[in-house]
Amino acid sequence: MPYCYAYARPALTVDCVVFGYDAEALQVLLIQRDLEPFIGKWALPGGFVRVEETLDDAARRELREETGLADLYLEQLYTFGALARDPRERVVSVAYYALVELFSHPVRAATDARDAAWFPVADTPPLAFDHADILAVAHARLRGKVRYQPIGFELLPEKFTLTQLQRLYETILDQPLDKRNFRKKILGMGLLVELDEVEQDVAHRAARLYRFDAATYRRLCERGFNFEL
Amino acid sequence: MPYCYAYARPALTVDCVVFGYDAEALQVLLIQRDLEPFIGKWALPGGFVRVEETLDDAARRELREETGLADLYLEQLYTFGALARDPRERVVSVAYYALVELFSHPVRAATDARDAAWFPVADTPPLAFDHADILAVAHARLRGKVRYQPIGFELLPEKFTLTQLQRLYETILDQPLDKRNFRKKILGMGLLVELDEVEQDVAHRAARLYRFDAATYRRLCERGFNFEL
DNA sequence: TTGACGTCGTGTAAAATAGACACTATGATG
DNA sequence: CATCATAGTGTCTATTTTACACGACGTCAA
């Protein structure tokens, strides 16, 4: 035990809530633990912060190690510090969350994880630690944020139809939206680029594809832009 | 050095950004450090988290010890984990923020603090550690939050005039508001109770006093209420 | 080839909300 | 009783939001 201090210190961990979307439901990425405590239970990917890495780096590293996901945009969510959230000892955890497009991000279990898989947010298995609380906070934050920042696009493939986008928003906000009003509003923002392509292999009239215009978005942001639904 | 661990651990601290308002400007509570490092420098109140207390408790305790303030509504802000934010060693800090009515919260320096005082947010002395960053994040959060949650009331005395409330919002948002529209909107929410009192000792027509109706607010919140400016 | 099916894509009118704007009322003071 | 400072109040216009329905297009199967 070579690391000694004058006062007791809580251990410090990070946990990641990664949301995905698969045209049906909002999903969350979980790992099946291969370590005590809660061995065999499903949990959020995460682990201990090393003393020479930042919190953001630790979150990225753990996510990569345990699930194979890399290069996500992770955002800090909240820091959980209840006394008994870990049965071993006092552990404080900084939670992060991220959004990804499901199909282009295959996951694979690795270090410390027996398995890694997507689950519908509304129907997860029982989670280890206080991870159900963390997931709930993340889900609430997602619902709140999606209204005033165009983060929904992170969850879709690069090219998408307006109907896909609308379904995504309806799923996250859990309320139906009017098709014409939705299109009017979203197109009116000028953040979508209409492509010269339509979707393929559908058994009905194919819909036009669009992509998100990140450059325009950044320009608008700097002049104080607000998204609003 | 009686506390030993298998891996090195960052130290964990809390820091508190307490905003006040004095009819002139938005203020922030600072302490003058009486400990190394940065002895003599101004800083946010805060300190080490004990292993047997929650983060919220640690924030409340440090604030009480260093400034005499108690019973505030503290809200977690963000966790700062840059590698070199403390010159001694790796320290991760969970920042909190709070709003108080200045005059009814006298501050006094105590433990580890040579002095405690209010400074205008726009004109603070140089701060220790990365506390200027923390203050900036807190200020941004305050500006953002004040638009959609009625937190402004925390900064005023229990009884206040509509003009005082308007000045507060103008200060936080840093933009002028129209008197009639402001009154229309704020009264239209039904969150203010008109009192049978007017302000005293003013050299002109006295304004009616109001108080915030917290009970009604809670009721509205549960049904999904949104404040909006 | 043609008809049925399913989704795509589009516009308008009514209602609600936000924003601009200026004068009278009241109480204190000299 | 005139002056001063702030309190308090309403209307009109512009903008935004909401509600709402049908023809176009491509696929498929008879």
Side-chain angles (χ1 to χ4, degrees):
Chain A
M1 296 294 235
Y3 298 98
C4 298
Y5 307 102
Y7 299 93
R9 295 186 172 186
L12 189 65
T13 62
V14 287
D15 287 300
C16 300
V17 183
V18 182
F19 290 109
Y21 175 70
D22 76 347
E24 292 283 310
L26 195 63
Q27 313 270 128
V28 61
L29 179 58
L30 299 177
I31 60 146
Q32 192 175 27
R33 291 177 59 83
D34 202 21
L35 283 179
E36 287 294 353
F38 296 107
I39 190 168
K41 265 217 164 179
W42 291 91
L44 297 170
F48 291 95
V49 176
R50 295 182 185 158
V51 80
E52 79 293 348
E53 74 186 346
T54 64
L55 300 171
D56 295 21
D57 288 342
R60 267 190 290 275
R61 176 182 53 75
E62 287 288 349
L63 194 58
R64 182 166 24 80
E65 286 180 2
E66 294 187 343
T67 71
L69 286 189
D71 298 321
L72 305 190
Y73 175 63
L74 281 163
E75 190 163 311
Q76 200 187 99
L77 173 66
Y78 195 79
T79 298
F80 293 81
L83 295 181
R85 45 179 306 284
D86 189 308
R88 294 166 293 187
E89 61 165 335
R90 179 76 195 286
V91 179
V92 169
S93 187
V94 183
Y96 281 77
Y97 75 113
L99 310 176
V100 302
E101 195 271 298
L102 253 177
F103 302 106
S104 58
H105 288 90
V107 300
R108 59 165 183 280
T111 325
D112 305 345
R114 190 180 290 176
D115 197 0
W118 294 98
F119 289 86
V121 169
D123 185 25
T124 62
L127 299 182
F129 305 106
D130 58 350
H131 287 188
D133 295 340
I134 298 179
L135 176 57
V137 171
H139 192 190
R141 180 87 129 243
L142 176 63
R143 275 196 302 266
K145 193 143 189 170
V146 85
R147 295 196 153 273
Y148 60 92
Q149 293 205 353
I151 54 177
F153 302 100
E154 316 266 346
L155 289 163
L156 290 175
E158 198 199 345
K159 300 170 180 179
F160 50 84
T161 69
L162 291 182
T163 300
Q164 285 173 330
L165 186 63
Q166 184 179 342
R167 290 225 194 301
L168 168 64
Y169 274 84
E170 288 176 332
T171 301
I172 295 179
L173 297 173
D174 197 28
Q175 63 174 316
L177 301 171
D178 178 84
K179 180 155 86 159
R180 279 176 291 192
N181 293 338
F182 179 81
R183 289 159 112 91
K184 209 188 314 172
K185 199 156 190 176
I186 213 89
L187 290 174
M189 293 175 187
L191 293 177
L192 295 188
V193 179
E194 183 174 333
L195 301 175
D196 279 335
E197 289 178 76
V198 294
E199 54 181 346
Q200 300 296 319
D201 303 318
V202 287
H204 51 79
R205 175 176 176 185
R208 161 137 291 144
L209 291 170
Y210 292 80
R211 68 172 175 78
F212 179 62
D213 185 349
T216 299
Y217 174 58
R218 272 192 295 276
R219 233 176 318 113
L220 286 174
C221 273
E222 288 169 17
R223 308 180 182 192
F225 169 67
N226 91 314
F227 180 74
E228 266 304 310
L229 216 165
Chain B
M1 295 296 231
Y3 298 99
C4 298
Y5 307 102
Y7 299 93
R9 294 186 173 187
L12 188 65
T13 61
V14 288
D15 287 300
C16 301
V17 183
V18 182
F19 290 109
Y21 175 70
D22 76 345
E24 292 284 310
L26 195 62
Q27 314 269 128
V28 62
L29 179 59
L30 300 176
I31 59 146
Q32 191 174 27
R33 291 177 58 83
D34 203 20
L35 284 179
E36 286 295 352
F38 296 108
I39 190 167
K41 264 218 166 180
W42 291 91
L44 298 171
F48 292 94
V49 176
R50 296 182 185 160
V51 81
E52 80 292 346
E53 73 186 348
T54 64
L55 300 171
D56 294 21
D57 287 342
R60 266 189 290 275
R61 175 181 55 74
E62 287 288 348
L63 194 59
R64 184 167 20 83
E65 286 179 3
E66 294 187 344
T67 71
L69 285 189
D71 298 322
L72 306 190
Y73 175 64
L74 282 163
E75 190 162 309
Q76 202 188 96
L77 173 67
Y78 195 79
T79 299
F80 293 81
L83 294 181
R85 44 180 306 284
D86 189 307
R88 293 166 292 186
E89 62 165 333
R90 181 75 195 287
V91 179
V92 170
S93 187
V94 182
Y96 281 77
Y97 75 113
L99 310 175
V100 302
E101 195 273 297
L102 252 177
F103 300 108
S104 56
H105 289 89
V107 299
R108 58 164 184 281
T111 325
D112 305 343
R114 191 180 291 176
D115 198 1
W118 295 98
F119 289 85
V121 168
D123 185 27
T124 64
L127 299 182
F129 305 106
D130 59 350
H131 288 187
D133 295 340
I134 298 179
L135 175 58
V137 171
H139 193 190
R141 180 88 130 243
L142 176 62
R143 274 195 303 266
K145 193 142 189 172
V146 85
R147 293 195 153 277
Y148 60 92
Q149 292 204 354
I151 55 177
F153 302 100
E154 315 267 346
L155 290 162
L156 289 175
E158 197 200 345
K159 300 170 181 180
F160 50 83
T161 70
L162 292 182
T163 299
Q164 286 173 330
L165 186 63
Q166 183 178 344
R167 291 227 192 302
L168 168 64
Y169 273 84
E170 287 176 332
T171 301
I172 296 179
L173 297 173
D174 197 26
Q175 63 175 312
L177 301 172
D178 178 83
K179 181 155 86 160
R180 280 173 293 190
N181 293 338
F182 180 80
R183 290 160 110 92
K184 211 189 311 175
K185 199 158 191 176
I186 213 91
L187 289 174
M189 292 176 188
L191 292 177
L192 295 187
V193 179
E194 183 175 331
L195 301 174
D196 279 335
E197 289 178 74
V198 293
E199 54 181 348
Q200 300 297 318
D201 302 317
V202 286
H204 52 77
R205 177 177 174 185
R208 161 137 287 142
L209 291 170
Y210 291 80
R211 69 173 175 77
F212 179 62
D213 186 349
T216 299
Y217 174 58
R218 271 192 296 275
R219 235 176 315 115
L220 287 173
C221 274
E222 288 169 18
R223 310 179 181 193
F225 169 68
N226 92 314
F227 180 73
E228 269 302 316
L229 219 164

